[in-house]
Amino acid sequence: MRKLLILMLLGVLFVPMNGSAKADEVLYCQSEVATGLYKENGTWKEGGFERKRFTVKVIVDFEAVMFRDNLLSCSVPFSRYPKELVCHNKDGLTFVYSQSSRRFVYSYVNTATYLDADTPVLFAGTCEKF
């Protein structure tokens, strides 16, 4: 009986976690396109912007991402494309990412970006894992 108890205890202590302790991954994303709108003398104009690189921390297998110090919730909008994700927050930040091609689109658009003086922007490019 004592041996059975010891075996059960060892079994519970040393059972693999089956991925529950999966580490978060980090993506390095480089924009290849950078565009948006800017206001000049009261008129909105289309403009080219400086290309940027972004570090994106993936949280719990894309349940969310940390993007530019902002937490964005992620979902798969179309079940037929399970590797295509849309991550966003209520402030107008959106990060669209394809796990297959590693392509991304990042946009920042909200009521303040066009109806006020903030600048709506759009970046697109490719990510790689750190």
Side-chain angles (χ1 to χ4, degrees):
M1 181 72 160
R2 187 174 185 166
K3 286 182 183 179
L4 181 58
L5 182 60
I6 291 172
L7 285 174
M8 286 175 42
L9 182 60
L10 288 175
V12 169
L13 291 175
F14 295 106
V15 171
M17 290 191 197
N18 293 330
S20 62
K22 189 174 185 177
D24 294 336
E25 66 181 272
V26 176
L27 300 173
Y28 169 78
C29 302
Q30 177 64 52
S31 65
E32 298 156 10
V33 175
T35 189
L37 301 172
Y38 67 97
K39 205 172 208 178
E40 184 178 278
N41 299 324
T43 304
W44 285 99
K45 297 186 177 189
E46 179 183 354
F49 289 79
E50 183 181 334
R51 295 176 184 169
K52 295 187 178 195
R53 56 184 171 182
F54 306 101
T55 301
V56 180
K57 181 180 179 187
V58 177
I59 301 168
V60 191
D61 198 27
F62 284 102
E63 282 185 18
V65 296
M66 185 62 75
F67 186 87
R68 304 188 84 188
D69 296 326
N70 295 284
L71 184 64
L72 286 70
S73 299
C74 299
S75 63
V76 175
F78 303 107
S79 59
R80 67 179 177 254
Y81 302 113
K83 298 274 187 188
E84 314 298 313
L85 302 150
V86 176
C87 308
H88 57 88
N89 70 6
K90 63 180 179 163
D91 296 327
L93 296 174
T94 302
F95 180 73
V96 179
Y97 181 66
S98 168
Q99 293 176 330
S100 345
S101 68
R102 296 195 174 147
R103 304 280 304 153
F104 80 95
V105 174
Y106 157 65
S107 66
Y108 174 60
V109 178
N110 63 28
T111 56
T113 59
Y114 189 69
L115 300 176
D116 202 1
D118 282 352
T119 302
V121 295
L122 179 77
F123 294 92
T126 308
C127 301
E128 59 185 46
K129 291 181 184 180
F130 267 135

